[in-house]
Amino acid sequence: MHEAYEVVNVLDKLPRQIESIACHNESLFIGTKEGHLIVYLVRKTSKDAAKFDTTVDRTNKSFSKKPVVQLEVIPEYHILISLSDGVVSVHDLSVFALITVVEKTRGAVLFALDLQKETSGNGEVQYNLRMCVAVRKRIQIFQWKNRGFHQLQPDLMIPDVPKSTAWCGNSLCVGFKREYYLIKVESGSLKELFSTGKQMDPTIARLSNDHLALTRDESTIFIDSNGSPTQKVALSWTAIPLAMVYQAPYIIAVLPTCIEVRSIEPRILIQSSEILKPKLICCGSQQQIYVASSTSIWRLSGIPVTTQIKQLLAKKEFELSLHLASMMNETDDEKQRRINDIRTLYAFNLFCQFRFDESLKIFAELGTDPSQVIGLYPDLLPKDFRDRLEYPDRPPELTGSELERAQLSLIEYLTQKRKDVLKDSNKEFVPTSIVEGNTVLKSRRQLSQIIDTTLLKCYIQTNDALVAPLLRLKDNCCHVEEAEKILRQHSKFAELVILYEKKELHKKALDLLMVHSRNSNSFLSGREATIQYLQRLGVRHLDLIFEYAKWVIGENKDDGLTIFTEDMEEVKSLPRDEVFSYLERTNRDLVIPYVEHVINEWDETASEFHSILPIEYMKQIKELYAQYLKTLPLGERPAKAGQEPGELGKLRHKLFDFLQRSFHYDPKRLLAHFPSDGMFEERALLLGKLGQHKEALAIYVYILRDHKMAEDYCKITYIPDDPNNKKVMMIINTFISSSVPILVCAS
């Protein structure tokens, strides 16, 4: 508990019995059993201490002939409303002259007021005062107008005589002996709420225009204007309240031997002060509170809010501290600063209670520097950085399941913070500090680096499947050295490769892949990871591709070739002439497969490659052909081109087929590389491509002696629409001069 009010006795042992009280400014109004009205002036004598000077201002012994059972002051209309002798009367507040007696209220047992402030469009303030009066089993509704109360509607019938009542929006809550009811003023419909319990005098306190507090035995239940509970759990007292008032954020109840002060949210006992037989309580427009017994009156003098907040913070009652801070009479900036300071302490305290989600949610709302939040955890920040941070108290030691739970909350917090830091990059980022004096990181780059590195560490501890996706993010900002250290500690080498790749530390990645390729127990064992990495590098890193492709080719040339032939844009865009030269230097066996791939699969049309491929074919054919000739029996003619056995036949067939279908090579260049004493079929084809038809036919007729090939050649090369028909004449002349029959070349 703490002291919210100082209880000061301002009147003691009055010679008259007190029946009702009301207050306004320095005036305290007392209605007595004898029908007297006594007005006291209660003035504070000390600026700081709760000391008061109480003097009689006026006494009206003829105010009424019967006990004054209810008093209400309405300063806005400068009137005093009273209930005495079963009728409601209205007096002038200054001289207590009688203004009106509301005759229709005779037989009244109680009344309740509703004063509403209304502001017009031009800023003019107006008030609307309504009054309900319980007259036996009827409710009367009045409105104050032209210095009198005028009944607004017919009486509302109720099932019993009310013990208490209060306005709630456009409804009335009425407490009978056994139950509470809610009555809609316009329709008169009744809604039963709940029983009053064992007490016979139900008590109602108004919290706001449309919220009430209703007692049931030692509990108080809070409802709205529909009669629905607004709190899940009732507020408890140590005894049945006799009367209650609400002064935010406290509800104050008069109990048989004391007064109790409690807060609604959180539900805690704030203060308990013993008073001899209290029975009445009232609260004035200036927040003054008086409690009365039959002969004495006490004033509850509020402890300064700043003092209360200090007391509450010392007791770690942060929620109530925030309620009080929101009521401070300060500038908006000062108030917000105070609230933020309290919320920061509250968030830290929640963390110390292992309520991590709630704590980090508040830190997020406050815009607290994420590095200082991370510092609450063990081993997440560099030691020298962490040692410079100050906290309101020593952060808790987190281990085991509590540490894991805390890390999961941190992951959720940092994931959102990561988005906040990355978006609106042009907007100034000004985080707050947990303790004044701590260094606050304002650099988005630094914050992003700390956030991503911390996420990496948390993922490794809680869900390592998320490590790789984090590292693959385009905007990943992990600190390389720190991330490298933690990944190596946990043998996360595949993830380390991802880190290196995203940070463009390709040589480090490729060295790591090469080392682990020879480790059969490693996830990176074998050549495939290196091949895929090299395929992704692209033309900017051609030298690295050539450097690290060498060991792959050395182990398996076919696998090595895929580095340069995979159907990926990065691979296709590599300079093909340089790749060709590299393969020619590294392993000539890959030259033909590479050139075949770029021509056949990638539709390469460059004359250079279309000329290189047949030359490379020819180089291999020459070696194989020489070996083939040695295997022939004496006098046996070699097989036709492409019909030789084994690899030689396949190569010559591929060469001949390529020379026939390609239009992009340079025939003249190729002829220079072909032998003059062999490979006549290919030579004839090239001569034909050059238009040297006579020489081509001469090879078919005189050297190969293959008249069928000659005839086919004529059919292919004859052009019917040639006006000069020189080709036909040339072909005919060739055949005339030969020893074979002349064939008709034209159709």
Side-chain angles (χ1 to χ4, degrees):
M1 293 192 295
H2 80 281
E3 293 294 313
Y5 298 94
E6 189 170 350
V7 181
V8 182
N9 182 237
V10 293
L11 280 175
D12 195 23
K13 297 179 181 178
L14 234 64
R16 301 284 185 262
Q17 183 174 323
I18 301 171
E19 290 291 325
S20 58
I21 58 174
C23 60
H24 169 59
N25 290 341
E26 295 179 335
S27 298
L28 171 62
F29 301 83
I30 299 174
T32 71
K33 186 177 182 180
E34 296 77 14
H36 298 177
L37 177 67
I38 308 172
V39 183
Y40 287 89
L41 291 180
V42 184
R43 292 192 172 101
K44 198 170 185 179
T45 59
S46 171
K47 183 179 180 181
D48 300 318
K51 295 180 180 179
F52 299 93
D53 179 38
T54 306
T55 58
V56 177
D57 182 28
R58 277 169 292 179
T59 301
N60 188 341
K61 293 183 179 181
S62 59
F63 189 76
S64 176
K65 295 178 181 179
K66 295 291 180 73
V68 183
V69 296
Q70 194 173 351
L71 283 174
E72 292 287 350
V73 177
I74 308 297
E76 290 80 3
Y77 286 111
H78 209 65
I79 56 176
L80 175 69
I81 304 173
S82 63
L83 175 60
S84 179
D85 197 16
V87 68
V88 174
S89 302
V90 183
H91 290 76
D92 181 83
L93 192 57
S94 300
V95 296
F96 304 122
L98 179 64
I99 297 174
T100 183
V101 174
V102 187
E103 291 294 340
K104 289 185 179 181
T105 65
R106 290 199 177 274
V109 293
L110 56 85
F111 68 86
L113 303 176
D114 175 50
L115 180 68
Q116 296 295 325
K117 181 180 178 180
E118 299 173 353
T119 305
S120 63
N122 58 13
E124 183 181 351
V125 176
Q126 293 182 335
Y127 295 95
N128 181 32
L129 177 62
R130 292 186 297 176
M131 177 176 68
C132 78
V133 183
V135 182
R136 290 180 286 276
K137 293 184 180 182
R138 293 178 291 117
I139 295 288
Q140 299 175 342
I141 308 297
F142 296 91
Q143 183 178 29
W144 180 256
K145 190 174 182 182
N146 299 325
R147 304 296 282 175
F149 274 113
H150 303 275
Q151 192 165 5
L152 291 177
Q153 62 190 68
D155 293 356
L156 303 174
M157 305 310 294
I158 52 179
D160 201 353
V161 178
K163 292 286 187 177
S164 61
T165 187
W167 286 88
C168 190
N170 284 319
S171 299
L172 288 169
C173 183
V174 181
F176 301 109
K177 288 181 181 179
R178 302 297 181 189
E179 291 111 358
Y180 287 104
Y181 279 82
L182 195 70
I183 304 174
K184 294 292 184 182
V185 172
E186 292 181 358
S187 64
S189 61
L190 277 74
K191 177 182 180 181
E192 185 176 348
L193 300 180
F194 47 82
S195 70
T196 59
K198 60 191 175 185
Q199 65 168 334
M200 302 299 288
D201 291 312
T203 303
I204 304 173
R206 197 174 188 189
L207 306 181
S208 65
N209 287 337
D210 52 6
H211 287 81
L212 299 176
L214 285 62
T215 61
R216 181 167 65 182
D217 297 333
E218 292 86 1
S219 299
T220 291
I221 298 169
F222 303 96
I223 67 167
D224 60 20
S225 57
N226 294 316
S228 304
T230 59
Q231 301 285 326
K232 292 182 179 180
V233 181
L235 189 68
S236 297
W237 307 95
T238 58
I240 297 176
L242 304 175
M244 296 185 302
V245 294
Y246 178 69
Q247 187 180 73
Y250 304 125
I251 186 165
I252 305 154
V254 174
L255 306 184
T257 60
C258 66
I259 60 164
E260 282 187 2
V261 182
R262 293 181 180 269
S263 61
I264 300 174
E265 191 65 42
R267 295 180 301 279
I268 56 175
L269 174 61
I270 303 301
Q271 181 179 347
S272 179
S273 300
E274 289 188 7
I275 290 179
L276 185 61
K277 296 181 179 179
K279 65 175 185 178
L280 302 171
I281 189 168
C282 72
C283 182
S285 58
Q286 302 300 316
Q287 300 295 300
Q288 62 273 51
I289 299 174
Y290 291 95
V291 176
S293 67
S294 294
T295 58
S296 299
I297 293 183
W298 295 263
R299 175 154 172 173
L300 274 58
S301 179
I303 302 295
V305 174
T306 52
T307 304
Q308 290 190 58
I309 289 174
K310 287 179 183 178
Q311 294 177 16
L312 289 166
L313 292 179
K315 297 176 185 292
K316 298 185 178 180
E317 297 287 354
F318 299 101
E319 292 176 86
L320 191 52
S321 298
L322 288 169
H323 277 294
L324 291 174
S326 66
M327 297 161 52
M328 291 283 290
N329 186 21
E330 301 177 306
T331 65
D332 289 343
D333 288 344
E334 290 172 336
K335 183 182 292 186
Q336 193 59 53
R337 193 178 302 114
R338 187 186 297 275
I339 289 173
N340 289 349
D341 290 344
I342 296 172
R343 294 188 75 203
T344 299
L345 292 172
Y346 183 33
F348 179 80
N349 183 256
L350 287 171
F351 191 91
C352 294
Q353 296 178 43
F354 298 162
R355 294 164 64 181
F356 306 113
D357 286 344
E358 296 170 76
S359 170
L360 298 190
K361 181 181 178 182
I362 295 175
F363 279 132
E365 291 170 353
L366 290 169
T368 305
D369 184 347
S371 68
Q372 297 183 28
V373 176
I374 295 168
L376 295 168
Y377 293 74
D379 305 321
L380 290 182
L381 290 178
K383 189 176 184 305
D384 59 336
F385 186 93
R386 171 62 184 82
D387 289 345
R388 294 197 299 270
L389 295 177
E390 297 290 336
Y391 293 98
D393 203 347
R394 184 176 180 179
E397 296 290 335
L398 299 174
T399 57
S401 61
E402 293 297 347
L403 175 59
E404 183 176 357
R405 207 161 56 82
Q407 288 174 330
L408 291 173
S409 296
L410 182 63
I411 287 170
E412 185 177 350
Y413 163 79
L414 290 178
T415 302
Q416 184 57 50
K417 274 294 162 189
R418 188 179 194 278
K419 296 176 183 175
D420 295 341
V421 172
L422 291 175
K423 72 180 180 182
D424 298 331
S425 56
N426 296 325
K427 187 178 177 181
E428 186 181 8
F429 188 77
V430 186
T432 61
S433 179
I434 293 179
V435 171
E436 189 174 353
N438 278 343
T439 300
V440 174
L441 295 182
K442 296 182 180 180
S443 165
R444 289 179 184 269
R445 181 180 172 279
Q446 283 183 301
L447 280 172
S448 297
Q449 194 174 73
I450 286 177
I451 288 171
D452 283 358
T453 307
T454 303
L455 278 172
L456 172 67
K457 293 177 180 179
C458 290
Y459 286 156
I460 284 180
Q461 295 292 337
T462 59
N463 187 356
D464 59 3
L466 296 174
V467 171
L470 171 68
L471 295 173
R472 286 194 184 99
L473 290 174
K474 183 179 180 181
D475 51 13
N476 175 265
C477 296
C478 280
H479 187 275
V480 175
E481 289 76 13
E482 193 75 16
E484 184 179 32
K485 178 182 174 183
I486 194 73
L487 290 171
R488 285 188 179 277
Q489 283 176 353
H490 291 82
S491 300
K492 297 291 182 184
F493 298 109
E495 289 80 358
L496 183 56
V497 170
I498 296 172
L499 173 72
Y500 287 150
E501 182 174 8
K502 292 302 177 182
K503 299 298 180 182
E504 297 203 351
L505 299 171
H506 301 302
K507 190 169 180 59
K508 275 193 167 189
L510 290 164
D511 284 339
L512 183 67
L513 287 170
M514 186 164 59
V515 169
H516 280 266
S517 70
R518 302 182 178 95
N519 182 355
S520 59
N521 296 321
S522 173
F523 183 76
L524 301 173
S525 177
R527 301 174 290 274
E528 189 58 31
T530 298
I531 292 170
Q532 292 177 1
Y533 195 103
L534 293 172
Q535 288 169 343
R536 293 192 298 268
L537 283 178
V539 66
R540 285 199 308 121
H541 304 286
L542 189 61
D543 290 343
L544 274 178
I545 296 173
F546 287 164
E547 179 181 349
Y548 287 90
K550 190 173 292 184
W551 76 262
V552 178
I553 293 171
E555 286 194 357
N556 188 298
K557 63 181 181 180
D558 292 334
D559 286 352
L561 180 62
T562 62
I563 296 170
F564 305 101
T565 58
E566 188 65 26
D567 192 21
M568 295 170 58
E569 197 56 41
E570 294 89 347
V571 175
K572 289 182 179 180
S573 63
L574 296 177
R576 294 169 187 177
D577 55 342
E578 293 187 48
V579 173
F580 173 81
S581 299
Y582 169 77
L583 294 175
E584 195 173 33
R585 296 191 306 271
T586 305
N587 190 319
R588 286 198 55 80
D589 290 346
L590 298 178
V591 169
I592 287 178
Y594 175 72
V595 179
E596 285 179 338
H597 185 87
V598 299
I599 291 175
N600 297 331
E601 301 300 326
W602 293 346
D603 299 324
E604 177 63 65
T605 58
S607 176
E608 181 66 21
F609 284 102
H610 282 256
S611 299
I612 284 174
L613 184 58
I615 291 172
E616 292 299 322
Y617 283 151
M618 186 267 297
K619 287 179 182 178
Q620 290 194 14
I621 289 170
K622 284 174 71 174
E623 294 180 12
L624 293 173
Y625 196 74
Q627 296 172 12
Y628 166 65
L629 291 177
K630 291 177 183 179
T631 64
L632 289 176
L634 186 65
E636 183 177 334
R637 289 176 63 82
K640 289 185 177 182
Q643 297 179 9
E644 299 91 343
E647 186 64 24
L648 174 61
K650 292 178 183 178
L651 271 174
R652 287 199 74 180
H653 179 77
K654 286 169 71 173
L655 172 60
F656 197 81
D657 178 68
F658 180 78
L659 292 175
Q660 278 187 316
R661 61 185 172 83
S662 174
F663 298 96
H664 302 294
Y665 58 81
D666 181 355
K668 190 173 183 179
R669 176 184 172 186
L670 293 185
L671 277 173
H673 287 81
F674 275 74
S676 56
D677 59 350
M679 301 184 72
F680 294 111
E681 290 91 337
E682 292 87 350
R683 191 172 187 83
L685 197 155
L686 291 173
L687 287 168
K689 291 273 187 177
L690 289 170
Q692 298 179 19
H693 304 298
K694 184 175 181 179
E695 290 82 351
L697 275 172
I699 291 175
Y700 291 131
V701 174
Y702 297 117
I703 298 177
L704 297 177
R705 296 185 177 278
D706 191 326
H707 302 147
K708 179 68 169 63
M709 290 183 72
E711 183 179 356
D712 290 343
Y713 183 85
C714 289
K715 290 178 180 179
I716 293 170
T717 55
Y718 175 70
I719 303 175
D721 295 331
D722 185 352
N724 297 318
N725 220 359
K726 292 180 179 179
K727 225 174 256 187
V728 177
M729 295 306 299
M730 179 269 294
I731 293 169
I732 292 173
N733 289 335
T734 300
F735 275 93
I736 289 174
S737 62
S738 70
S739 60
V740 297
I742 297 176
L743 302 175
V744 179
C745 296
S747 58

